[in-house]
Amino acid sequence: MKDQLDYLKWRVGAGRLSRREFLGRASALGLSAFAANTMLADAVRAAGAQKGGTMIVGLQGGSSSDSLDPALATNQVALSAIRLWGESLVELAPDGSVEGKVAESFESSPDAKVWTFKIRSGIQFSNGKDVTAEDVVETMDRHSGEDTKSGALGIMRGISSVKAEGDTVIFELETPNADLPYLLADYHLIIQPGGGKDDPAAAIGTGPYIIKSAEMGVRIVAEKNPNYWGDLGNAETIEIVVINDNTARVAALQSGQVHMIDRVPPRTAGLVARAPGVNVYSTKGPGHYVFIAHCNTAPFDNNDVRLALKYGINRQEMVDKILFGYGSIGNDTPINASYPYFTEIEQREYDPDKAKFHFDKSGYDGSILLRTSDNSFPGAPDAAALYQQSLAAAGINMEIKREPNDGYWSEVWNVQPFCTSYWGGRPTQDQMYTTAYLSSADWNDTKFKNEQFDQLLIAARGELDDAKRKQMYADMGNILHNEGGLICPMFNDFIDATTDKIAGWEEGVAGYALMNSYAPLKMWVVA
Amino acid sequence: MPTLVKLLAQRIALGLLLLFLVSILIFAGTNILPGDVAQSILGQSATPEALANLRKELGLNDPVVTRYFSWLGGALHGDLGTALTSRLDIATEIGRRLGNTLFLAFWAAVIAVPLAIFLGLLAVRYRDRWPDKVISAFTLASISVPEFLIGYLLMFFIGVKLRWFPSTAISYRPDADLFTRLESIALPVAVLTFVVLAHMMRMTRAAILNVMQSAYIETAELKGLRMFTIIWRHAFPNSIAPIVNVVMLNLAYLVVGVVVIEVVFVYPGMGQYLVDHVSKRDVPVVQACGLIFAAVYIGMNLIADVVSILANPRLRHPK
């Protein structure tokens, strides 16, 4: 049996056998699925990445109104393009730590208030210029200041000064922050020559590829950067094609026009996985679909109403019917196991009796108005209808108001007291809580104001003792779980798919689609 | 022929007036849309500061009338402004996209128009017999099914299962060789053909049948001419006006109505461009696209009018 397995492994490594066929034959030889999968990954890795070829990636989310300026990147296509040509100071590593990119190494002062990043020596931008500490300072400057349109402005606010000193860059913070490297891994903060101030959309950076042509919303073509300092990037040419229509994207994959796609619709993912020559990967992530109630608006200002709403939602049913099983249940905090300091809180179950108890206790006896729209998350109106049913079992009457997609984010979300929404998640607890649960946050979309929570958040930020920090985040999680306006029924998985013409998929950084968008660079075309 | 010249001049002047009115409508319409451009551009991940900065920069605070006339003035000079979102010159972008759309429309027309007219003639030749019924049933069925559904069906069966043609048009590049380009648009062209066939074919059939009642057709029949020759030589030229009308209407549709097909088949044409910018509230682009679509529509109808005038002997040779 060992000989046969070795032969199969060789065939897979050489790309002559698909993953599906391998798993099928290995299990025929009596191997468990888990063992076979592990063996497969080993075999493929042992055979080594193959260099060369053209990889075509079909992605959702691009639009002809996009720009190559990393400050304005908001979608998967823009992010994937950035991964090709640019790099930030540091990047999240698959093990959850932070690794150097443009910065070779970094360290903090004991109080986590001053951070020093050493610039990697001898690396160049794709226009041939050497990377200097000044470029980094200019980049940070472009993303800060009140007149910037950068998506990273929120991150830059806590930084009081950025200085160049020889080949190091020194960040001074207003308040201690042990998570600064995580924040600087943000994909907007791509180091550009002169900070990209002259031509922000020039796509000149230190990345493994060089953009050859870019027609926004249609396709971006990049070729290997011969002077790249690292070993990322296998295909000679990577082509990103924008395919926004779900059916067209899946058809393009099935017919072999593209090698990789993102966002396989959960509804059809099972069917797609059964097609020959196609592999579907689902990745757990920090993204969640939510119902958000404003804690400062009646009737939601009464915590018993909020608790009634929390007990009155059937989380498992939502995961089964809205995510088609591609997800996990939430527990009324925005944090799940994708986060570094996650502590489990006892799961709140669907309990109509408790929901009724809290609702009666609140003294409110009117109906609840929920606003929803198609684009607040996929299947949101259906989820609202399920919620209506599960609340009805507790004797709570909920009305659903369908809002238009147009203007939902400006007229309903963060404006109306109770609506459906989604969050993509953030790399750290600190960032997630600071973005949406700190009393003073712009996007505090549940209008949650809790002094104790705020104090814990600030204190945890400067706490370098991991155990203490973990406990602080656990306490904050409990406060939100019991008092917050967030009703979080589910965390959605990312579902990506590839054909068997490319290999090398591995679990990337926990919680991000397409191996944290490195799949086009880390996978290779099977010759 | 003063009458003829006067008639044509009238038609063209009317067309221009109509275009002017449409421009007002487009501008007014895009200005009363709900939502906010800045918010749509920056999405959910927008900070209030970034929003305020963007609004100021986009000049969203000027009065509407001022903005209309500066826009119209620019459009008359061929300057459609810059896209709010990508900061690219709209005229250049549209030039490229319009080229792609016209390429698709041209090949769809090359196949659909002769096919529709031929099927129409065939249906008249075998009137009320099985070929007529089969043609009618098939074309009516294909026009009745929503076009995206036909698109998905062809994509699945021909693109994914049979692999005769690429399932989407993503390999289309304006600078590729003609064969590659034609291959990549095979399915969209097929769908468009299905969609426009019925209308033109039915009109051809009806127009010719109308003429077939005339005395001179009977004369031709008595001369002993073959049925198809009669239809082609005697009936068809006299029913050209209504046919040209419906052909032009469908050609206009091929240019302005292909939004769905372009999105479904990922074809980089005007429709896709318009949809992207509508969802981002990029008003200058939406206005420019609207104006161009209106111009194409009015232009095609103008041509149809001119052809019917010229094809009418009573107008060509006034007493």
Side-chain angles (χ1 to χ4, degrees):
Chain A
M1 175 182 141
K2 188 168 176 308
D3 289 349
Q4 275 172 303
L5 269 176
D6 283 344
Y7 171 72
L8 290 179
K9 272 156 73 177
W10 172 79
R11 297 252 302 167
V12 169
R16 296 189 189 168
L17 197 66
S18 77
R19 172 177 166 274
R20 181 182 316 279
E21 286 167 317
F22 175 82
L23 294 181
R25 293 191 197 178
S27 60
L29 289 169
L31 225 60
S32 76
F34 179 75
N37 256 316
T38 316
M39 193 175 280
L40 174 77
D42 289 346
V44 170
R45 211 169 295 133
Q50 293 166 8
K51 301 281 177 184
T54 298
M55 188 181 297
I56 307 177
V57 183
L59 299 177
Q60 198 257 10
S63 152
S64 41
S65 56
D66 286 349
S67 160
L68 277 175
D69 180 356
L72 304 177
T74 51
N75 55 48
Q76 183 63 47
V77 174
L79 171 55
S80 299
I82 285 172
R83 290 279 189 257
L84 297 176
W85 64 264
E87 287 177 318
S88 40
L89 269 182
V90 292
E91 183 55 276
L92 308 176
D95 64 0
S97 66
V98 173
E99 62 187 12
K101 284 282 178 182
V102 172
E104 203 167 52
S105 59
F106 52 89
E107 55 186 15
S108 82
S109 63
D111 62 354
K113 254 187 122 165
V114 180
W115 285 82
T116 309
F117 290 79
K118 185 172 182 303
I119 305 304
R120 196 175 289 279
S121 60
I123 63 169
Q124 291 180 334
F125 290 114
S126 54
N127 63 2
K129 283 194 189 137
D130 286 334
V131 180
T132 65
E134 278 75 23
D135 291 319
V136 177
V137 174
E138 292 292 307
T139 299
M140 297 303 154
D141 187 55
R142 185 165 85 85
H143 292 272
S144 39
E146 293 305 310
D147 58 343
T148 182
K149 287 182 284 293
S150 173
L153 176 60
I155 292 170
M156 302 306 296
R157 270 205 204 116
I159 298 173
S160 53
S161 83
V162 185
K163 286 187 309 233
E165 217 171 82
D167 63 346
T168 61
V169 180
I170 299 166
F171 289 76
E172 279 179 27
L173 312 183
E174 277 157 18
T175 51
N177 192 342
D179 278 344
L180 184 75
Y182 284 97
L183 302 185
L184 295 181
D186 188 281
Y187 59 83
H188 298 102
L189 297 173
I190 298 302
I191 309 302
Q192 292 173 280
K197 285 180 176 171
D198 302 332
D199 189 356
I204 305 280
T206 59
Y209 286 81
I210 299 175
I211 303 289
K212 286 292 163 192
S213 74
E215 198 183 336
M216 301 320 289
V218 181
R219 100 181 62 235
I220 294 166
V221 182
E223 279 172 17
K224 199 97 212 314
N225 177 358
N227 297 321
Y228 181 58
W229 60 269
D231 56 2
L232 263 181
N234 292 317
E236 184 55 35
T237 308
I238 293 181
E239 201 176 314
I240 296 174
V241 193
V242 179
I243 312 180
N244 286 326
D245 187 272
N246 285 342
T247 313
R249 199 163 59 255
V250 171
L253 183 85
Q254 288 179 323
S255 64
Q257 278 196 299
V258 298
H259 295 119
M260 180 190 304
I261 59 171
D262 68 336
R263 298 217 195 176
V264 179
R267 197 185 292 272
T268 51
L271 288 172
V272 174
R274 258 184 269 155
V278 171
N279 299 320
V280 171
Y281 305 97
S282 107
T283 313
K284 294 232 171 298
H288 43 294
Y289 296 164
V290 297
F291 298 85
I292 42 178
H294 285 185
C295 300
N296 62 355
T297 311
F300 310 105
D301 55 349
N302 185 326
N303 195 38
D304 278 305
V305 171
R306 301 203 292 269
L307 281 173
L309 290 173
K310 287 175 185 175
Y311 281 112
I313 195 162
N314 191 337
R315 294 174 178 77
Q316 191 58 48
E317 186 185 33
M318 295 251 181
V319 170
D320 294 343
K321 292 184 178 164
I322 303 297
L323 299 176
F324 295 88
Y326 288 94
S328 48
I329 55 174
N331 200 14
D332 303 332
T333 80
I335 305 301
N336 69 352
S338 317
Y339 286 85
Y341 296 99
F342 173 68
T343 311
E344 197 143 344
I345 300 172
E346 193 193 344
Q347 179 65 46
R348 183 173 278 135
E349 304 286 349
Y350 173 49
D351 190 335
D353 294 335
K354 275 191 187 159
K356 188 169 172 28
F357 167 77
H358 284 289
F359 197 70
D360 290 344
K361 193 175 153 202
S362 74
Y364 178 76
D365 56 2
S367 68
I368 306 279
L369 178 65
L370 173 69
R371 289 165 207 265
T372 185
S373 76
D374 270 323
N375 67 337
S376 54
F377 63 79
D382 300 333
L386 289 177
Y387 197 9
Q388 189 180 38
Q389 294 299 316
S390 64
L391 279 177
I396 302 171
N397 179 27
M398 188 171 83
E399 286 169 33
I400 298 171
K401 181 157 192 259
R402 186 79 173 257
E403 299 277 353
N405 288 351
D406 287 344
Y408 191 80
W409 301 116
S410 52
E411 318 283 329
V412 179
W413 174 76
N414 216 359
V415 177
Q416 298 294 345
F418 194 40
C419 71
T420 55
S421 179
Y422 75 94
W423 277 99
R426 293 293 183 274
T428 64
Q429 272 103 330
D430 180 60
Q431 224 182 332
M432 187 67 234
Y433 285 145
T434 307
T435 310
Y437 299 93
L438 187 67
S439 299
S440 58
D442 294 329
W443 295 344
N444 187 337
D445 59 7
T446 52
K447 311 295 172 211
F448 175 68
K449 299 199 165 76
N450 185 305
E451 219 171 292
Q452 193 196 354
F453 183 92
D454 291 356
Q455 280 166 2
L456 276 169
L457 180 59
I458 307 293
R461 210 177 272 170
E463 182 57 68
L464 291 175
D465 181 331
D466 276 357
K468 281 190 194 155
R469 202 162 176 220
K470 190 169 172 173
Q471 186 53 46
M472 288 171 166
Y473 285 131
D475 294 344
M476 289 162 71
N478 270 312
I479 296 176
L480 264 189
H481 175 80
N482 293 320
E483 297 170 37
L486 170 76
I487 297 149
C488 174
M490 54 192 152
F491 286 85
N492 54 303
D493 289 356
F494 299 105
I495 313 172
D496 307 312
T498 68
T499 66
D500 52 15
K501 298 280 185 295
I502 58 173
W505 179 276
E506 49 189 293
E507 292 294 319
V509 177
Y512 292 88
L514 291 170
M515 302 162 62
N516 194 17
S517 300
Y518 280 102
L521 288 80
K522 291 188 174 172
M523 295 185 80
W524 60 88
V525 182
V526 176
Chain B
M1 297 184 284
T3 328
L4 191 61
V5 174
K6 199 174 141 209
L7 262 175
L8 292 183
Q10 254 176 4
R11 289 287 158 184
I12 293 169
L14 262 176
L16 290 177
L17 179 69
L18 202 57
L19 198 55
F20 174 70
L21 293 177
V22 167
S23 79
I24 295 180
L25 266 182
I26 291 171
F27 198 85
T30 47
N31 270 289
I32 54 176
L33 284 176
D36 176 80
V37 189
Q39 179 84 48
S40 315
I41 293 173
L42 295 177
Q44 190 233 31
S45 55
T47 59
E49 286 94 337
L51 281 177
N53 292 333
L54 193 63
R55 263 188 217 121
K56 196 164 62 188
E57 197 182 309
L58 299 177
L60 294 174
N61 305 328
D62 293 342
V64 176
V65 179
T66 319
R67 281 190 283 149
Y68 171 71
F69 281 106
S70 65
W71 170 69
L72 190 67
L76 289 175
H77 291 98
D79 172 19
L80 296 167
T82 40
L84 296 182
T85 43
S86 60
R87 312 288 153 76
L88 294 173
D89 182 53
I90 297 176
T92 333
E93 283 290 291
I94 285 191
R96 196 164 38 166
R97 296 297 190 120
L98 189 61
N100 293 348
T101 292
L102 291 179
F103 181 78
L104 181 62
F106 173 78
W107 286 103
V110 160
I111 293 174
V113 173
L115 187 64
I117 291 177
F118 175 72
L119 288 179
L121 297 180
L122 206 63
V124 173
R125 169 69 183 85
Y126 296 102
R127 186 187 168 191
D128 291 336
R129 288 168 42 199
W130 68 266
D132 182 23
K133 288 186 176 140
V134 169
I135 292 170
S136 284
F138 174 74
T139 53
L140 285 177
S142 64
I143 202 177
S144 311
V145 180
E147 56 201 273
F148 70 89
L149 186 64
I150 304 182
Y152 285 157
L153 289 175
L154 290 186
M155 201 185 272
F156 183 71
F157 287 107
I158 297 185
V160 175
K161 288 286 160 201
L162 298 170
R163 304 215 176 181
W164 287 350
F165 292 106
S167 52
T168 62
I170 58 173
S171 49
Y172 175 86
R173 279 185 189 76
D175 53 359
D177 60 290
L178 187 64
F179 179 76
T180 314
R181 285 192 287 163
L182 288 181
E183 193 190 26
S184 66
I185 62 167
L187 293 189
V189 163
V191 177
L192 286 175
T193 304
F194 283 137
V195 172
V196 297
L197 208 53
H199 197 190
M200 291 192 284
M201 171 266 161
R202 299 284 298 177
M203 187 50 94
T204 308
R205 181 179 177 276
I208 293 178
L209 278 180
N210 201 20
V211 175
M212 293 297 276
Q213 316 293 333
S214 317
Y216 67 86
I217 297 292
E218 209 175 343
T219 313
E221 253 174 82
L222 294 175
K223 272 199 297 193
L225 286 182
R226 281 175 52 235
M227 195 58 184
F228 211 80
T229 320
I230 295 172
I231 296 173
W232 179 246
R233 293 282 306 278
H234 296 278
F236 182 66
N238 284 303
S239 45
I240 204 118
I243 295 176
V244 166
N245 249 313
V246 73
V247 166
M248 284 301 160
L249 213 58
N250 279 288
L251 289 188
Y253 174 81
L254 285 180
V255 177
V256 309
V258 296
V259 175
V260 175
I261 292 301
E262 286 185 1
V263 172
V264 164
F265 285 101
V266 203
Y267 185 77
M270 287 280 283
Q272 178 96 56
Y273 184 69
L274 177 64
V275 167
D276 282 351
H277 288 82
V278 165
S279 60
K280 285 279 170 62
R281 289 272 174 287
D282 197 332
V283 174
V285 177
V286 176
Q287 288 163 343
C289 289
L291 201 60
I292 287 176
F293 283 161
V296 168
Y297 213 83
I298 294 173
M300 289 291 188
N301 280 290
L302 199 64
I303 294 174
D305 282 352
V306 169
V307 170
S308 348
I309 291 170
L310 293 178
N312 189 333
R314 274 164 296 192
L315 293 172
R316 226 167 31 201
H317 307 289
K319 294 228 170 80

